[in-house]
Amino acid sequence: MLPYATIEDAAAALGRNLTFAETLWYNYSANKSDYFLYCHNILFLFLVFSVAPLPFVVIESLRSDSFDKHKIQPKVRLSFSEMVRCYKDVMRMFFLVVGPLQLVSFPSVQMVGIRTGLPLPSGWEILAQLVVYFMVEDYTNYWIHRFLHCKWGYEKIHRVHHEYTAPIGFAAPYAHWAEILILGIPSFLGPAMAPGHMITFWLWIALRQIEAIDTHSGYDFPWGFTKYIPFYGGADYHDYHHYVGEQSHSNFASVFTYCDFLYGTDKGYRYQKKLLRKMQEELRGSGEQNGGSYQNLKSE
């Protein structure tokens, strides 16, 4: 809740007039508690989990050659009912685990100093903090993900997420309840290290989940803007990890690829890509076409 009775009071405290964005924020948040504003995350996550995967559901259902040529595992098809079942399972975990976790974790947000007041952060400040959040989450998630692929971690927890060997957008948050809790730690470390405004926190939570849905989409489109982000993994990179499954010792990174490169856990993927390129060259030489999948080249 903002400590100003009127916009004029806010302007006097800042020593300047409010920007258009700050005026909107004042009008919306002035009489709302910080806890209520924080709980917006529940709504945003529900919308992201429900809406962001829908384009991929439509693409998967269309069976169009224009899209199918970009499908990473073209031999694997999920029916509409199977995708709906995945969504229902995700929503069950959302209402039983994700939502309640958001409701009870507000004290930690207060403790690290995420603020709701004025002034609003600049665009550059938001961008810089988001970069920090992605980098911190990516590094810590990498090591937790590797732990979850040890025998105990996989059999007891992580195997649930790997039920989809050819992932779909709805399967991005599909996981064991314990994994949801554990992976909440990397997501919160960045905001804890570089606390910002609640708006930045909202953006971070939403963007991280949208990114996860993209990497679990099962499609590798050449026109995506993420192709221009340095060291970005993407759908093809993470799809290989799901395809290999329990035996995977490759591609643990959640967003970027530098950890896998530095610690040597991308060798299997790079070897497969090398074999795939060789096979494609041979097929082109014989006048045949290939869908671009590693599905028939399974190895670590």
Side-chain angles (χ1 to χ4, degrees):
M1 185 176 296
L2 299 181
Y4 313 115
T6 65
I7 288 182
E8 288 74 20
D9 291 341
L14 295 177
R16 58 171 174 80
N17 291 329
L18 274 64
T19 65
F20 177 73
E22 288 171 337
T23 300
L24 290 178
W25 179 250
Y26 177 89
N27 289 332
Y28 181 74
S29 66
N31 296 317
K32 295 179 175 64
S33 69
D34 290 354
Y35 179 68
F36 180 80
L37 293 173
Y38 169 71
C39 287
H40 282 46
N41 269 328
I42 299 175
L43 173 62
F44 296 149
L45 286 172
F46 175 79
L47 291 175
V48 169
F49 290 166
S50 301
V51 177
L54 290 181
F56 300 111
V57 172
V58 173
I59 290 171
E60 184 79 6
S61 302
L62 284 176
R63 304 290 199 268
S64 168
D65 291 340
S66 299
F67 294 120
D68 285 354
K69 64 183 179 181
H70 302 298
K71 186 168 174 60
I72 301 167
Q73 297 189 50
K75 293 184 179 181
V76 181
R77 291 288 186 183
L78 293 181
S79 66
F80 181 75
S81 61
E82 288 174 318
M83 291 186 281
V84 170
R85 185 171 69 247
C86 178
Y87 174 69
K88 289 180 178 179
D89 290 337
V90 167
M91 284 297 103
R92 179 168 57 87
M93 282 294 115
F94 178 82
F95 287 112
L96 292 177
V97 180
V98 177
L101 179 63
Q102 295 291 316
L103 290 173
V104 302
S105 59
F106 178 66
S108 62
V109 171
Q110 286 183 307
M111 180 179 67
V112 302
I114 294 175
R115 63 187 183 87
T116 61
L118 295 173
L120 293 183
S122 67
W124 286 112
E125 180 182 342
I126 292 174
L127 179 61
Q129 289 177 325
L130 288 175
V131 169
V132 171
Y133 298 171
F134 270 106
M135 295 295 290
V136 170
E137 192 274 347
D138 187 69
Y139 187 82
T140 52
N141 184 290
Y142 171 85
W143 289 105
I144 293 176
H145 194 181
R146 284 191 67 170
F147 163 75
L148 290 174
H149 270 268
C150 72
K151 183 176 177 61
W152 183 90
Y154 190 90
E155 291 181 354
K156 300 297 184 181
I157 300 174
H158 195 49
R159 64 174 178 79
V160 175
H161 183 65
H162 274 270
E163 288 176 10
Y164 290 89
T165 56
I168 58 174
F170 278 136
Y174 178 82
H176 190 281
W177 64 266
E179 182 169 346
I180 295 172
L181 296 178
I182 293 169
L183 293 183
I185 297 172
S187 295
F188 188 69
L189 276 180
M193 293 171 62
H197 198 274
M198 186 65 73
I199 291 175
T200 308
F201 190 69
W202 288 347
L203 282 171
W204 158 239
I205 297 298
L207 288 174
R208 177 63 186 91
Q209 295 307 315
I210 291 171
E211 186 279 331
I213 290 167
D214 174 64
T215 57
H216 287 81
S217 68
Y219 289 85
D220 185 31
F221 297 114
W223 56 77
F225 77 93
T226 53
K227 297 286 186 181
Y228 303 98
I229 300 176
F231 306 108
Y232 183 76
D236 183 71
Y237 191 83
H238 191 68
D239 199 281
Y240 172 81
H241 176 82
H242 273 262
Y243 176 70
V244 179
E246 180 179 1
Q247 304 303 317
S248 180
H249 297 286
S250 185
N251 297 22
F252 294 110
S254 61
V255 182
F256 304 107
T257 62
Y258 69 94
C259 279
D260 282 311
F261 178 77
L262 289 175
Y263 301 113
T265 49
D266 63 348
K267 294 178 180 178
Y269 173 74
R270 287 190 283 123
Y271 177 70
Q272 289 286 43
K273 298 300 287 185
K274 181 180 178 180
L275 289 180
L276 180 59
R277 284 192 296 268
K278 182 179 179 180
M279 186 178 71
Q280 288 174 329
E281 290 171 0
E282 292 174 351
L283 289 172
R284 281 195 294 268
S286 61
E288 297 178 30
Q289 292 183 349
N290 181 269
S293 171
Y294 43 67
Q295 199 162 355
N296 294 321
L297 296 172
K298 187 173 183 179
S299 75
E300 292 186 27

